[in-house]
Amino acid sequence: MQRLIDAFINSVRAFRKLAAHEKAFQQELMLLALALPAGWFVSVSWRGYGLLIGAVLLLIMVEVLNTGIEAACDAFSREFNVDIQLAKDCGSLAVLISVVIVAGVWGIALIERVTGFPI
């Protein structure tokens, strides 16, 4: 049980640090705050609502992992290194793919809501 408590404390510490200092994380938290009520009106079912919010949470999760990759790379070396650049670029690409997923899920939900036809 102590391991779970320690993991929770570590997670809260990371959340506070990211919320205080990482602009992308702050923006995604604002997106989540907007998505929670907006998703209620956009979705046509509870399952759809879960998918809309889950997509935003996926984006936040990928952003957290990207920030961890960047922090680990910066702790290793701040000098230019091709391998470190690739690691950071791959993390950035993962965030971009997550953004595309969020846009696609929300776009489909909006089309479904406006037209009344399930896609």
Side-chain angles (χ1 to χ4, degrees):
M1 189 67 176
Q2 185 60 44
R3 186 179 65 79
L4 292 174
I5 293 169
D6 292 343
F8 178 78
I9 291 168
N10 293 340
S11 298
V12 169
R13 183 176 56 238
F15 180 88
R16 286 181 178 163
K17 178 132 177 135
L18 293 176
H21 301 290
E22 289 293 324
K23 290 292 183 196
F25 187 75
Q26 294 167 353
Q27 291 170 348
E28 289 157 4
L29 286 180
M30 289 300 298
L31 178 63
L32 178 62
L34 293 171
L36 287 168
W40 179 256
F41 295 105
V42 170
S43 67
V44 295
S45 68
W46 281 105
R47 185 178 359 200
Y49 181 72
L51 184 60
L52 291 172
I53 301 308
V56 176
L57 290 173
L58 172 75
L59 171 61
I60 292 171
M61 180 179 67
V62 173
E63 182 64 49
V64 168
L65 293 172
N66 180 48
T67 302
I69 290 168
E70 289 180 356
C73 288
D74 289 345
F76 178 74
S77 174
R78 292 200 181 258
E79 294 179 19
F80 179 78
N81 180 301
V82 174
D83 296 327
I84 289 176
Q85 180 185 23
L86 178 60
K88 288 183 172 188
D89 289 349
C90 287
S92 180
L93 175 59
V95 172
L96 177 62
I97 292 168
S98 298
V99 168
V100 170
I101 291 170
V102 170
V105 168
W106 277 80
I108 289 169
L110 284 167
I111 290 168
E112 192 173 80
R113 171 54 83 186
V114 170
T115 64
F117 297 113
I119 295 176

